[in-house]
Amino acid sequence: MKQSLSYGRIKLGYEDDDVRPLPLVLFSSVRFRGKVYLPKISDRDALRILKIRGEKKISFSDAYVEAICRDNRESNEIGEGRALIRWLKTRKMMIDWKKSDYKIHSMLFCEEAPKFDLHDELARDHLFSISPVKVLGRNIKLYVEDEAMLSLINLQFGEEEDFLSLVRRYVARRIQWELWRAPAPTFADWVRNEGKRPVFKKGQLGFNAYQP
């Protein structure tokens, strides 16, 4: 763990190769009528916004201005992310993303981060990609629903264990359960039931949203 002095106070931080990839997405500021707005959109809402598909496209800044800046009553009640989602879906629109619209946490968007094969049908509608693990001599990919993966990243309690170590153990157990024809919990439920909290390192988890 590193220490750094900031404004006369000690600030603690983890090494770059051993952190939680949060916040997952940072949206760029939007200017409207001479004022600069910093979008306050949760990671959960960000996932939903990135996956919205519609009949027409609109730029992120224009959508944010129309949904949030012009009339913020709804966003004050339900939050900016949900207000933007509702605005887009009501109008059957989607964001026409540009490289300047948002940044993904560097841990999830680096050279080492795993990426999906474009022809991988199982990866459809998934934003997170997990590095393959070797179990019983086989390289196996685990697919986890996006919201379930986000919930694991945000876990606040549990005995810390390396993320890929958890994946290997779960896959091995999953093979056993299938041989027994026994019902299997999801990966996220299994991790919680084991009382674990994943620790992530670069090269273990990727994020495959549009990022030019």
Side-chain angles (χ1 to χ4, degrees):
M1 185 178 287
K2 298 185 295 186
Q3 291 186 348
S4 61
L5 191 64
S6 177
Y7 300 104
R9 296 181 179 181
I10 294 294
K11 180 174 67 176
L12 301 179
Y14 290 97
E15 298 292 342
D16 291 340
D17 63 346
D18 189 5
V19 298
R20 295 192 174 277
L22 295 171
L24 186 69
V25 179
L26 284 177
F27 290 95
S28 299
S29 60
V30 176
R31 185 178 294 274
F32 178 64
R33 292 178 179 171
K35 184 178 178 180
V36 176
Y37 292 80
L38 296 175
K40 301 179 180 65
I41 299 174
S42 70
D43 282 335
R44 188 174 300 278
D45 288 335
L47 292 181
R48 296 176 63 193
I49 292 168
L50 290 169
K51 295 172 78 170
I52 287 178
R53 296 294 177 263
E55 298 174 359
K56 295 178 289 184
K57 292 185 177 182
I58 185 172
S59 70
F60 172 71
S61 58
D62 286 347
Y64 187 85
V65 164
E66 296 299 327
I68 311 299
C69 301
R70 291 193 186 279
D71 186 352
N72 62 4
R73 287 175 296 180
E74 185 173 39
S75 63
N76 286 340
E77 291 179 3
I78 65 174
E80 291 188 3
R82 290 177 62 190
L84 180 55
I85 291 167
R86 182 176 295 179
W87 189 91
L88 289 168
K89 288 190 171 182
T90 298
R91 290 158 181 77
K92 298 181 179 180
M93 302 183 79
M94 61 184 289
I95 304 294
D96 185 13
W97 296 108
K98 296 180 175 59
K99 64 181 180 180
S100 58
D101 287 336
Y102 67 87
K103 290 184 179 179
I104 300 169
H105 193 287
S106 60
M107 176 185 284
L108 303 181
F109 197 79
C110 60
E111 284 189 21
E112 304 100 312
K115 297 174 177 59
F116 285 132
D117 185 326
L118 293 176
H119 305 292
D120 187 349
E121 290 292 326
L122 294 176
R124 185 174 296 176
D125 294 328
H126 285 74
L127 294 176
F128 289 103
S129 55
I130 299 172
S131 181
V133 293
K134 196 162 190 174
V135 178
L136 300 176
R138 298 158 54 194
N139 285 323
I140 298 176
K141 286 183 180 180
L142 179 67
Y143 300 84
V144 177
E145 294 295 329
D146 294 330
E147 292 209 5
M149 193 67 249
L150 183 60
S151 72
L152 290 178
I153 294 173
N154 280 282
L155 272 180
Q156 299 299 310
F157 305 101
E159 180 185 3
E160 292 191 344
E161 183 172 335
D162 179 77
F163 174 63
L164 285 190
S165 173
L166 287 169
V167 173
R168 287 189 196 95
R169 292 208 293 119
Y170 174 77
V171 170
R173 294 296 301 276
R174 185 68 181 258
I175 292 172
Q176 284 185 328
W177 292 325
E178 289 180 359
L179 288 173
W180 299 337
R181 297 184 180 178
T186 65
F187 177 62
D189 286 343
W190 177 82
V191 170
R192 293 190 190 91
N193 291 338
E194 291 284 303
K196 299 295 184 177
R197 185 182 187 221
V199 174
F200 298 87
K201 291 185 172 70
K202 284 184 178 180
Q204 295 184 339
L205 189 66
F207 193 76
N208 293 283
Y210 173 70
Q211 180 83 9

